[in-house]
């Protein structure tokens, strides 16, 4: 995945839609941030990221801003969790 995203591209690709927000309602903290970023990454790449470094920093900041959480929440996401495994199987 490319790492440089301009403002217009961020809005077009990384904006959390209403149905995305529905999927995130029962999650909190790092799980909410992580799941949101995995979901949008999967929409773009049709695969799960190999590691957190594949998620562009600008996308992390943009998604965190939409959810009104600290960007650092993403760093606490459990990469061995069920959501990552579930998306990896697709």
């Amino acid at each position: 995945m490319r790492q440089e995203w301009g403002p217009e591209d961020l809005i077009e690709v990384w904006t959390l839609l209403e149905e995305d927000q529905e999927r995130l309602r029962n999650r909190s903290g790092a799980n909410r941030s992580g799941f949101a970023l995995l979901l949008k990454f999967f929409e773009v790449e049709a695969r799960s990221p190999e590691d957190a470094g594949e998620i562009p920093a600008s996308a992390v900041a943009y998604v965190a801003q939409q959810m009104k959480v600290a960007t650092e929440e993403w760093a606490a996401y459990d990469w061995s969790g069920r959501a990552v495994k579930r998306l990896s199987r697709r």
Side-chain angles (χ1 to χ4, degrees):
M1 168 166 281
R2 72 180 202 215
Q3 293 296 306
E4 299 296 322
W5 292 78
E8 292 173 2
D9 292 333
L10 284 170
I11 292 167
E12 183 178 330
V13 175
W14 295 92
T15 295
L16 296 170
L17 305 175
E18 189 174 324
E19 53 267 16
D20 300 331
Q21 297 284 356
E22 278 296 316
R23 291 183 180 117
L24 297 170
R25 285 208 204 294
N26 294 332
R27 301 175 194 285
S28 62
N31 286 333
R32 187 168 186 218
S33 296
F35 189 79
L37 287 160
L38 289 175
L39 180 65
K40 299 314 274 185
F41 184 97
F42 191 82
E43 288 176 5
V44 174
E45 294 286 309
R47 67 176 179 85
S48 297
E50 298 281 325
D51 58 54
E54 279 196 79
I55 308 287
S58 57
V60 172
Y62 179 66
V63 170
Q65 177 186 15
Q66 291 176 75
M67 297 188 319
K68 297 176 177 48
V69 298
T71 304
E72 294 78 25
E73 289 283 340
W74 168 240
Y77 187 66
D78 179 11
W79 276 85
S80 63
R82 291 180 302 175
V84 173
K85 291 176 183 173
R86 194 173 327 132
L87 281 173
S88 295
R89 286 183 286 205
R90 293 184 178 178

